[in-house]
Amino acid sequence: MPQPKTVEFALSGTAQGEEISPAHVPFGLMRKFHEDVERLVLGSNQGSLSDTLVQVKQGSYALVVPIPETVRESFELDMSMMTNEDSATHPDPIRLSVLQGWQRRAAFDRGITYYIRPHGAKPRISELKIDAQTVLRKATEDRWVSVE
């Protein structure tokens, strides 16, 4: 059976005057980050990553998460269009909400940066960096127009 593709979700910067690392991350920030990563991976799909084995990497606080086959295609499509405002398709609203929350946090606390880094030889998505300067797609209303 082939190994699932993994993606690294990293939280970088400073918290309470020290660099964020596996040895130093505020509990509330860590808990919210874990919840956000699960929501980002699953999007609007039902399920849970509770039984998924993840790696916590040294350096910044980084989780390496295997992306379930059932959501991989939609996850990769959404991540590839998050900064492309010209795309005709719309990303999953839950995934967009998570990334917009990270962008607001990074704008409010300029010491925080979030990263999404695909692993593997030929990843289908590029690294996504979310900091105070990141411009993400806007959530859009229903594109249908009422007619009489």
Side-chain angles (χ1 to χ4, degrees), residues 2-5 67-73:
Q3 289 284 53
K5 292 185 180 181
I67 305 300
E69 191 67 38
T70 55
V71 299
R72 181 177 305 139
E73 188 175 328

Side-chain angles (χ1 to χ4, degrees), residues 38-142:
E38 181 176 49
R39 290 179 55 225
L40 188 59
V41 169
L42 295 176
S44 295
N45 298 288
Q46 297 295 318
S48 169
L49 298 180
S50 294
D51 295 331
T52 303
L53 295 176
V54 300
Q55 299 172 13
V56 178
K57 290 181 63 176
Q58 290 294 357
S60 62
Y61 189 76
L63 299 176
V64 178
V65 180
I67 305 300
E69 191 67 38
T70 55
V71 299
R72 181 177 305 139
E73 188 175 328
S74 68
F75 174 81
E76 290 174 343
L77 178 64
D78 284 349
M79 292 305 105
S80 67
M81 75 170 82
M82 282 301 171
T83 57
N84 181 1
E85 294 193 30
D86 297 330
S87 177
T89 57
H90 298 286
D92 181 284
I94 291 177
R95 289 183 178 132
L96 181 58
S97 172
V98 169
L99 295 182
Q100 288 173 333
W102 286 1
Q103 199 280 330
R104 283 190 300 274
R105 172 71 191 248
F108 177 76
D109 185 351
R110 294 195 177 262
I112 300 286
T113 303
Y114 296 88
Y115 294 92
I116 300 172
R117 297 181 182 116
H119 286 192
K122 294 182 181 179
R124 295 179 59 195
I125 59 174
S126 302
E127 176 179 289
L128 182 59
K129 176 182 175 183
I130 300 175
D131 61 12
Q133 288 75 42
T134 302
V135 177
L136 295 170
R137 293 189 60 146
K138 302 281 189 266
T140 57
E141 298 297 321
D142 190 1

Side-chain angles (χ1 to χ4, degrees), residues 22-44:
H24 178 84
V25 61
F27 182 78
L29 183 59
M30 178 185 66
R31 185 190 71 231
K32 177 82 168 105
F33 183 64
H34 285 227
E35 290 170 354
D36 286 347
V37 167
E38 181 176 49
R39 290 179 55 225
L40 188 59
V41 169
L42 295 176
S44 295

